[in-house]
Amino acid sequence: MKGNDHHRNKFLLTNREREVFELLVQDKTTRDIAQLLFISEKTVRNHISNVMQKLNVKGRSQAVVELIRLGELNI
C-alpha cells in the first residue's frame, strides 16, 4: 500500500531544483539563473526538465503552478 506517498511532497525537489524554480518565478531567464547559480544553461535546463518529469507536466509554467499547489514553492 502506498499510503505515505503524500509525505514525500516536502522532499520532491532537490535544493538545486528549488533554487532554479525560485528564480524562475522571479521572471529570470535560463541565462540569468545559470549566472546566478554559477552553473551552465544546459544544467539549468536539465534541472527544469527533471522537475517537469517528476511532476508529469509539459511546460515550465505548469510545473510552477503544480509546485505552488503542492506547497513546494512560495511566491
Side-chain angles (χ1 to χ4, degrees):
M1 196 163 116
K2 296 196 295 195
N4 56 3
D5 275 3
H6 292 299
H7 297 299
R8 286 178 29 239
N9 283 351
K10 277 290 154 242
F11 309 104
L12 188 63
L13 298 185
T14 65
N15 287 338
R16 185 56 104 189
E17 288 166 351
R18 181 170 279 108
E19 287 174 323
V20 168
F21 272 84
E22 282 171 352
L23 292 166
L24 208 55
V25 296
Q26 295 170 41
D27 249 6
K28 301 279 190 250
T29 64
T30 302
R31 177 177 285 165
D32 294 335
I33 295 169
Q35 288 172 344
L36 287 161
L37 298 180
F38 305 102
I39 57 180
S40 72
E41 289 180 52
K42 183 181 191 321
T43 302
V44 173
R45 286 191 291 273
N46 286 344
H47 285 309
I48 293 168
S49 70
N50 288 343
V51 171
M52 290 180 345
Q53 278 184 314
K54 284 186 196 183
L55 296 170
N56 198 21
V57 295
K58 294 251 186 304
R60 294 176 180 206
S61 52
Q62 263 185 292
V64 167
V65 168
E66 192 60 14
L67 289 171
I68 292 165
R69 193 182 70 75
L70 291 168
E72 285 281 332
L73 200 57
N74 300 312
I75 57 163

